[in-house]
Amino acid sequence: MSEQNPAAPIAGRDGAIVAWILYILSIPSANVLVLVGLVVAYITRGSATGLAAQHVEAQIKLFWSVFWISAILWVLVAVSAVASAFLIGIPFLLLFGLLLLLVSIWFTVKSVLGLLALLNDRPA
């Protein structure tokens, strides 16, 4: 009967931790480090196993969902900015700007919770 050593490193765990940390640092770095975190997640994706693989997949999914939501909101901000010249877009500009801020906060909170889950050996 073979027992797994609980102290044995899980393949890809370090890469997943680094990617979560880079995601968390995305706001202070003007979202530059989130791209580095995405690259780390994609590199780690091939070698990660078990729980680490689940976290890496969650990181990639989180990035792309936030990317597309933010892209749509930025288009709406641009349309609202043009409409603000006619004074009808100002409330929408404020609304979409607030939604962009909330998406950034949600991304950061989700990243912190993901890192804590990985450190406590829980699924993402």
Side-chain angles (χ1 to χ4, degrees), residues 40-48 53 56-57 60:
V40 169
Y42 271 115
I43 290 171
T44 305
R45 184 185 212 182
S47 64
V56 168
E57 292 300 324
I60 293 170

Side-chain angles (χ1 to χ4, degrees), residues 56-69:
V56 168
E57 292 300 324
Q59 291 164 351
I60 293 170
K61 182 180 174 186
L62 176 65
F63 172 83
W64 286 112
S65 63
V66 169
F67 173 82
W68 287 114
I69 291 169

Side-chain angles (χ1 to χ4, degrees), residues 14-124:
D14 293 338
I17 290 172
V18 169
W20 279 131
I21 291 171
L22 290 170
Y23 276 22
I24 292 167
L25 295 174
S26 66
I27 290 179
S29 72
N31 291 330
V32 172
L33 291 179
V34 74
L35 296 174
V36 178
L38 180 66
V39 170
V40 169
Y42 271 115
I43 290 171
T44 305
R45 184 185 212 182
S47 64
T49 60
L51 187 64
Q54 182 186 11
H55 277 270
V56 168
E57 292 300 324
Q59 291 164 351
I60 293 170
K61 182 180 174 186
L62 176 65
F63 172 83
W64 286 112
S65 63
V66 169
F67 173 82
W68 287 114
I69 291 169
S70 297
I72 291 167
L73 286 173
W74 276 112
V75 168
L76 292 172
V77 165
V79 170
S80 299
V82 170
S84 293
F86 305 105
L87 299 176
I88 59 172
I90 294 172
F92 296 105
L93 185 62
L94 294 173
L95 173 67
F96 298 135
L98 177 64
L99 287 175
L100 273 169
L101 175 65
L102 292 175
V103 166
S104 293
I105 292 169
W106 174 72
F107 178 80
T108 304
V109 168
K110 188 93 165 130
S111 298
V112 168
L113 293 175
L115 177 62
L116 292 174
L118 181 58
L119 292 175
N120 291 321
D121 294 324
R122 291 180 297 162

